[in-house]
Amino acid sequence: MQSDRIDERGRDSQSEPVTPDELTVAVDSVALRRLIEEVENKGDTTLAGYNRSYHRHNR
Amino acid sequence: MSVDIIDAIVDQLGTLAKRQAKPFNVCLHGGEPLLIGAPRLERLLRGLRLGMPTSCSLAIQTNGLLLSDSIIDLLATYGVGVSISYDGPADVHDANRLDKRGAGSRARVLNAMRRLQAHPTASGLFSGVLAVVDPNSSPIAVYEDLASTGAPGIDFLYRDGNRTRLPPGKARAASTEYGQWMLRLLRAYIADPNPPRIRVLDDLMRLILGSDGRKEGLGLTDFGIIVIDTDGTITRNDTLKVAYHGADKFDKPPSILDRALDQFLVSSDMSDYRALQRPTSPICLSCPELNICGGGMPAHRWSEDSGYNNPTVFCADQQLLIAELRSLLSAAKAA
């Protein structure tokens, strides 16, 4: 991760309301491309395990 | 957990693995599963590994505080995937995750994560971190913090609630605090040139692209999740506790000590439980996104007036998120 980009995101989170329209510009995304290629190739991911969600934050 | 219970679990799951064609996952969960202690943990893991084929995976969800080097060695020996409960920046993590003295656990959890990552088998051992969403936190700061740990996978859980008792941070069922938070998280994820895996977002995208879901509460896959408590009681998914007291219990709670698990799994009790997972609300059944959302987790559908016959309390959040993911994937595929 580049620190300058982290800082920029931090400022964004404090000052800008995020709308869905702002998100639709990032079509050249590693995360999106990776998923599309996996599904097209019927590939698998490295994630394993199942996580339940009854957690102490509810108490 | 007594030795008798451990041996019964090992015996019953071994029998189930032999009789059930489809492999299953065994996840040690809590509370904190490492409270079992090293000798009994080894007895359990050794028995499970000897009794089940390797296609049946072993996993543990831990807060990391008892994750010593010797425990890590033990988990590596038996091929147990380790997921650590970790919420991110100190003001987020330490607000909810405290040690028994009441101090925030973040520094100790990070130390445990580093020890895990330094283990020679870390690449197969460390599956990732599990974080609970605080809708009042900065999703950008949370993403950056979680990604900086080097965890290969990240999963997020919404805080639990239902239509009678709203989740923390949600003003109304129709409001979208969690959806807005996830949209900002998504923004960081898709902009990252070296992103980890975010399971909940990847699963939603996989479903939108026509593939299968892998997480209860998304998609329409039936999940046969049962819980074996430390006293041997077999229960439904314990997330159901957030619906009402006892919602996770079967009518006549069976015990692993005296009920054959493979027989119980084909009983009417189990059929009723599995049916409960399927959405029944007319709103859900006519919703074009049902195949993606799946009606959410049953616990989140609950209301005192109409039981589970409702959309998830996160319906508006999920609709917002799914619409954006659809738009992004469409644009990315066209690019």
Side-chain angles (χ1 to χ4, degrees):
Chain A
M1 297 257 157
Q2 298 172 0
S3 60
D4 56 344
R5 195 165 51 74
I6 294 172
D7 291 340
E8 185 179 339
R9 291 179 190 175
R11 285 196 299 274
D12 285 351
S13 70
Q14 297 300 316
S15 57
E16 295 176 14
V18 175
T19 67
D21 286 345
E22 285 178 276
L23 298 172
T24 56
V25 297
V27 293
D28 185 21
S29 160
V30 174
L32 296 180
R33 183 59 55 196
R34 177 175 66 188
L35 232 295
I36 290 168
E37 289 174 0
E38 276 178 6
V39 172
E40 286 176 349
N41 298 327
K42 300 193 183 307
D44 207 347
T45 71
T46 55
L47 292 179
Y50 172 78
N51 302 317
R52 293 177 298 138
S53 70
Y54 187 73
H55 39 79
R56 64 182 305 147
H57 303 60
N58 301 316
R59 297 170 196 161
Chain B
M1 181 177 280
S2 71
V3 169
D4 287 349
I5 300 290
I6 290 172
D7 292 348
I9 289 171
V10 166
D11 180 56
Q12 294 250 29
L13 292 183
T15 300
L16 182 64
K18 289 182 180 67
R19 295 184 180 169
Q20 177 175 292
K22 196 170 181 181
F24 52 85
N25 168 257
V26 179
C27 184
L28 311 184
H29 231 290
E32 172 48 46
L34 291 179
L35 287 171
I36 191 174
R40 292 185 185 197
L41 178 64
E42 175 153 32
R43 187 183 185 106
L44 176 62
L45 295 178
R46 185 175 62 242
L48 290 173
R49 208 26 109 204
L50 286 172
M52 304 189 312
T54 52
S55 56
C56 290
S57 55
L58 297 176
I60 189 167
Q61 182 66 45
T62 173
N63 63 24
L65 299 184
L66 297 173
L67 205 54
S68 63
D69 288 341
S70 59
I71 290 286
I72 292 172
D73 284 340
L74 194 59
L75 297 171
T77 298
Y78 295 106
V80 183
V82 182
S83 175
I84 294 187
S85 302
Y86 175 72
D87 292 341
D91 62 323
V92 182
H93 181 97
D94 288 343
N96 289 292
R97 298 193 186 275
L98 308 173
D99 63 22
K100 59 186 179 185
R101 291 170 296 184
S105 66
R106 181 175 181 272
R108 292 172 64 196
V109 175
L110 284 172
N111 278 336
M113 221 181 298
R114 281 191 278 272
R115 284 201 306 278
L116 189 60
Q117 289 166 312
H119 195 274
T121 64
S123 63
L125 188 63
F126 187 24
S127 60
V129 296
L130 177 62
V132 177
V133 171
D134 175 355
N136 296 315
S137 67
S138 162
I140 311 301
V142 168
Y143 179 84
E144 298 290 3
D145 187 283
L146 295 179
S148 73
T149 66
I154 301 170
D155 201 8
F156 288 93
L157 305 172
Y158 291 169
R159 293 187 176 202
D160 289 325
N162 55 56
R163 292 202 164 251
T164 297
R165 186 178 66 84
L166 294 174
K170 193 165 173 63
R172 305 180 312 280
S175 61
T176 56
E177 295 87 344
Y178 284 82
Q180 294 288 347
W181 195 94
M182 291 299 289
L183 285 186
R184 301 190 73 162
L185 179 83
L186 174 63
R187 179 184 185 188
Y189 187 40
I190 63 174
D192 192 338
N194 186 27
R197 308 302 303 231
I198 296 188
R199 183 178 178 180
V200 60
L201 293 176
D202 284 3
D203 274 10
L204 279 168
M205 288 194 280
R206 197 173 283 111
L207 285 160
I208 290 169
L209 292 169
S211 189
D212 298 327
R214 305 173 183 197
K215 183 179 171 77
E216 189 202 25
L218 298 177
L220 290 173
T221 304
D222 265 0
F223 285 87
I225 297 164
I226 60 160
V227 174
I228 303 172
D229 256 327
T230 51
D231 67 356
T233 306
I234 301 168
T235 77
R236 300 167 169 179
N237 191 333
D238 68 351
T239 56
L240 290 167
K241 288 176 182 172
V242 300
Y244 59 91
H245 180 70
D248 60 321
K249 300 290 191 292
F250 290 104
D251 286 343
K252 293 178 182 174
S255 168
I256 198 76
L257 292 172
D258 55 25
R259 184 79 187 264
L261 189 57
D262 60 325
Q263 296 297 311
F264 179 73
L265 294 183
V266 295
S267 68
S268 58
D269 281 350
M270 190 67 190
S271 299
D272 292 346
Y273 163 49
R274 293 186 73 171
L276 177 151
Q277 298 176 33
R278 297 171 197 132
T280 55
S281 162
I283 295 171
C284 290
L285 297 179
S286 62
C287 178
E289 300 293 11
L290 179 61
N291 287 344
I292 313 302
C293 153
M297 296 190 65
H300 299 161
R301 299 176 201 154
W302 173 261
S303 79
E304 288 181 357
D305 295 333
S306 48
Y308 297 103
N309 193 26
N310 308 290
T312 169
V313 72
F314 296 108
C315 177
D317 303 276
Q318 294 298 79
Q319 291 210 36
L320 184 69
L321 182 57
I322 291 168
E324 182 54 29
L325 286 168
R326 275 196 187 284
S327 174
L328 281 169
L329 286 168
S330 176
K333 289 186 81 170

